Amino acid sequence: MIYLQHPKNRRRRVLFSPYYCKRGVLLMKPVVIPHEVYQTFVTEELQTHYAHGALTLVRKDWPLILKLWETDLSAVTRKLAYLYSHRGPQPRDPASMMRAYLVYLLTHPSMSITEWVDLLHRVPLYAILSGFPPDDVPGVGTFYDFFARLWGPSAKNQKPRKQHRKKKAKKGKKKGEKAPTATPGRVQRLVRWVMRQFHRQKALPSDQLFHLFQESFLTVSANLGLLGDGHRLSIAGDGMPVQTAAYPRSKAACDCRARGLAHCNHPRLYAQPDCDTGWDSARERYFNGYQLYTLTAADSPYDLPLYPRLHPASRHDAISFVLGMVEFSQRSTLGTVEKWILDAAHDAGAIYDLILQQNAKPFIDLNDRSTKNSETGGDIRLSPQGIPICPVEMKHNGFDHAQKRHKWRCPLMKNRTTCICDKPCSDAKYGRTFHTQSRDNPRLFPEVPRGSDAWKLVYKRRTTVERSNKRAKIDYHLEAGRHRSTMMWMIRIYGIMMCQHMDAWYRHREDELKTLMPQILPQAG
């Protein structure tokens, strides 16, 4: 490696990689530093600062060192290089900037970026693991310049700051029940539109973040077998409230109050234009912020997240799922999705149609909208759960894959030869049978019968998304981020998801990684 002096700071060393020279001015771009070079740098710096007793490493430092040692972030520099100018001195290595942000989330996620930069100056270990010499740490402004490049040229918020007053969302009717959709039939209309436009991919400001996350983290986890069957994915989805402020912050955009008009309907300027007020069904209270909808690998032994999407706090989970599912399907390079596992908030016929259109199987808990039985046109009725009744609930007797229908039989047939019913409804030798077609009503008659052992075995994995959300919100202090833009919240969310994958890699290969300690620092053996 060749180092040059920084033109404004003689103590700073920069990696030399000229793009070309013109009129005596050195024109430079970020250089892709191989991961092996980063590992060599870490080894040399640790031996310089920690091998001779001046500074000491304790046992709790090694998990952090080994996680960063195994995480290759060279793709960050390769993908972001086009966003840097040809002119000027060599910029900070984007991979090292990303690494510094991950070290921040792994160690002190409740700090601000300003406090973190101060800590980088005080703790040489954090600077070394980031890829910076301890005496040459980037400043606060450099971090925010890097965040802007991660987001791209789009605005920091999706909605304009000037908006009319936002209405308060409705709360659930029962204790623990989520807020209903604001407009009846909205899910069905959205699904119909999405099914027509599914092949048209709309560019999102967070696309660059997802592509980095997919290349450097999702692909690695899939190759390690940490996402379940990589060719036939099972995905669970659920929403989680993210409170960003105690109340909506806004100020008047007119002079009505100065003219003595206390109330007016003019638009106001909102500090967080993408946020609004929603109902937190778990805590039984209103909150101001976002609704974070996350797709998680249901068969992952470590509950690993796949795709996040921020929505206004008042948005219903069914709407959030449709948007998140389509965006993930259009961008994912992983295997095909075989199963979608969702809770009762997603129990809408249109969602079944959307999932079946993608040749996947829906596993959705039933939301009992009615306690009344429905008629079938004959003497048999259907329970709210889709079970035929004549005169008692019939027993499931298998699924005919050729004709895509369920077979039900009379439960009052003893040994399948003798009917113990007081009023037999059929003189058939083996008792009365009834068939229900999945195509007639996939919600009531899913291919895997709701309540069967096979259905329960799959559906119990739905809680993986709740455990993943808990890790982001509690373990990594998601809501501690004091941000006012969707850009910074999405960067924080993706950073936390990256840390979750790094934690899984370490736990999966912990014994193997510990054997590297003498290689990194000989005194550690």
Side-chain angles (χ1 to χ4, degrees):
M1 293 185 295
I2 304 175
Y3 289 94
L4 295 177
Q5 281 187 343
H6 191 281
K8 295 183 180 180
N9 185 354
R10 295 183 178 275
R11 296 182 60 186
R12 176 179 166 186
R13 295 176 299 165
V14 293
L15 189 63
F16 171 71
S17 176
Y19 185 81
Y20 61 87
C21 294
K22 184 179 181 181
R23 295 183 181 178
V25 178
L26 191 62
L27 309 183
M28 312 179 79
K29 277 260 187 179
V31 181
V32 178
I33 302 176
H35 189 60
E36 295 76 13
V37 175
Y38 162 75
Q39 292 176 330
T40 302
F41 167 82
V42 170
T43 301
E44 294 174 353
E45 292 292 331
L46 288 180
Q47 290 178 354
T48 300
H49 294 86
Y50 290 89
H52 304 294
L55 298 172
T56 304
L57 292 177
V58 297
R59 183 178 300 177
K60 290 183 179 181
D61 293 329
W62 279 104
L64 177 66
I65 296 172
L66 295 174
K67 289 175 187 177
L68 273 298
W69 181 268
E70 286 297 299
T71 304
D72 185 357
L73 294 177
S74 56
V76 178
T77 304
R78 185 175 67 255
K79 285 186 172 294
L80 298 184
Y82 77 98
L83 294 171
Y84 288 81
S85 173
H86 294 294
R87 294 186 174 276
Q90 183 74 23
R92 294 285 186 176
D93 176 32
S96 298
M97 296 297 298
M98 189 76 229
R99 208 176 284 116
Y101 187 64
L102 295 180
V103 175
Y104 153 67
L105 293 173
L106 287 166
T107 56
H108 299 82
S110 58
M111 277 187 173
S112 66
I113 297 298
T114 303
E115 294 171 331
W116 168 244
V117 171
D118 292 341
L119 194 63
L120 277 178
H121 285 86
R122 292 198 299 267
V123 183
L125 176 63
Y126 295 158
I128 293 170
L129 293 180
S130 300
F132 302 116
D135 60 347
D136 184 22
V137 175
V140 177
T142 308
F143 274 95
Y144 282 100
D145 288 341
F146 171 69
F147 295 150
R149 288 185 170 92
L150 280 177
W151 189 248
S154 302
K156 295 182 179 180
N157 293 290
Q158 297 178 358
K159 296 181 181 179
R161 288 191 61 197
K162 183 179 290 189
Q163 300 179 34
H164 286 280
R165 289 185 181 271
K166 301 178 180 181
K167 297 181 180 180
K168 199 172 186 178
K170 295 181 180 179
K171 63 179 182 180
K173 296 180 180 179
K174 300 178 182 178
K175 185 176 181 180
E177 186 179 43
K178 295 184 178 180
T181 53
T183 307
R186 185 180 180 187
V187 177
Q188 185 176 17
R189 292 192 299 271
L190 176 62
V191 169
R192 287 178 179 175
W193 181 84
V194 162
M195 293 172 70
R196 294 194 304 268
Q197 307 290 331
F198 199 94
H199 63 286
R200 298 183 180 179
Q201 180 175 331
K202 180 182 177 182
L204 297 175
S206 59
D207 280 348
Q208 192 159 240
L209 278 167
F210 176 73
H211 294 322
L212 289 173
F213 175 62
Q214 181 167 237
E215 180 175 345
S216 300
F217 293 87
L218 286 183
T219 304
V220 176
S221 295
N223 293 335
L224 292 174
L226 303 184
L227 302 181
D229 189 344
H231 301 288
R232 299 161 56 189
L233 290 172
S234 296
I235 299 181
D238 198 10
M240 173 180 66
V242 178
Q243 182 173 344
T244 62
Y247 56 89
R249 295 188 176 95
S250 66
K251 62 181 181 180
C254 60
D255 59 349
C256 292
R257 185 173 291 273
R259 293 188 291 112
L261 301 175
H263 302 284
C264 69
N265 295 323
H266 293 120
R268 297 181 65 83
L269 295 175
Y270 282 86
Q272 297 178 327
D274 294 342
C275 297
D276 64 2
T277 302
W279 173 251
D280 188 346
S281 58
R283 296 177 176 83
E284 294 280 328
R285 61 178 175 84
Y286 285 100
F287 74 99
N288 182 72
Y290 297 98
Q291 189 76 250
L292 171 61
Y293 196 91
T294 309
L295 300 179
T296 305
D299 292 337
S300 169
Y302 301 102
D303 310 319
L304 293 179
L306 300 175
Y307 185 78
R309 181 66 150 81
L310 277 180
H311 302 269
S314 59
R315 182 164 289 173
H316 194 269
D317 278 357
I319 302 293
S320 303
F321 166 75
V322 173
L323 298 175
M325 179 259 199
V326 172
E327 292 169 4
F328 175 76
S329 300
Q330 292 173 338
R331 291 159 174 79
S332 172
T333 58
L334 302 175
T336 58
V337 181
E338 185 184 43
K339 304 182 185 74
W340 291 96
I341 310 173
L342 309 167
D343 63 13
H346 305 78
D347 183 27
I351 290 181
Y352 285 85
D353 295 337
L354 177 62
I355 294 175
L356 293 173
Q357 186 205 40
Q358 303 304 311
N359 298 317
K361 297 179 182 178
F363 288 81
I364 305 176
D365 198 11
L366 196 63
N367 185 358
D368 294 335
R369 300 181 178 88
S370 174
T371 58
K372 297 181 180 180
N373 299 327
S374 56
E375 304 295 334
T376 62
D379 58 337
I380 290 183
R381 296 168 297 160
L382 293 176
S383 72
Q385 290 76 30
I387 301 175
I389 302 174
C390 177
V392 296
E393 290 188 353
M394 303 182 76
K395 187 175 181 180
H396 191 261
N397 196 36
F399 181 78
D400 185 350
H401 291 274
Q403 301 187 41
K404 299 293 183 182
R405 66 180 187 178
H406 295 275
K407 182 179 180 181
W408 305 83
R409 65 178 178 84
C410 180
L412 300 179
M413 292 297 295
K414 186 176 181 181
N415 297 326
R416 294 196 177 185
T417 57
T418 305
C419 183
I420 60 175
C421 182
D422 296 335
K423 296 180 180 180
C425 55
S426 174
D427 56 358
K429 182 178 179 180
Y430 297 104
R432 186 169 187 177
T433 59
F434 188 78
H435 294 88
T436 54
Q437 297 280 355
S438 291
R439 65 172 178 267
D440 293 340
N441 192 334
R443 174 180 172 268
L444 287 180
F445 313 127
E447 183 173 336
V448 180
R450 191 178 283 107
S452 64
D453 292 340
W455 193 88
K456 292 178 181 178
L457 183 64
V458 174
Y459 192 74
K460 71 178 183 180
R461 293 299 305 170
R462 193 200 66 81
T463 55
T464 187
V465 67
E466 296 179 353
R467 291 190 292 272
S468 178
N469 287 343
K470 172 264 174 186
R471 289 215 64 211
K473 195 168 187 177
I474 306 301
D475 298 356
Y476 281 101
H477 304 275
L478 171 61
E479 293 179 329
R482 294 183 284 275
H483 308 306
R484 292 194 179 184
S485 67
T486 299
M487 178 192 80
M488 287 305 304
W489 280 109
M490 283 301 296
I491 291 174
R492 183 175 180 86
I493 290 167
Y494 269 102
I496 289 174
M497 290 171 55
M498 293 175 183
C499 292
Q500 289 180 254
H501 282 260
M502 293 170 65
D503 292 340
W505 300 345
Y506 175 76
R507 284 182 285 170
H508 183 66
R509 303 175 55 201
E510 184 173 0
D511 295 335
E512 177 187 350
L513 291 176
K514 285 183 177 179
T515 61
L516 300 175
M517 292 167 57
Q519 175 185 340
I520 301 172
L521 192 64
Q523 288 75 6

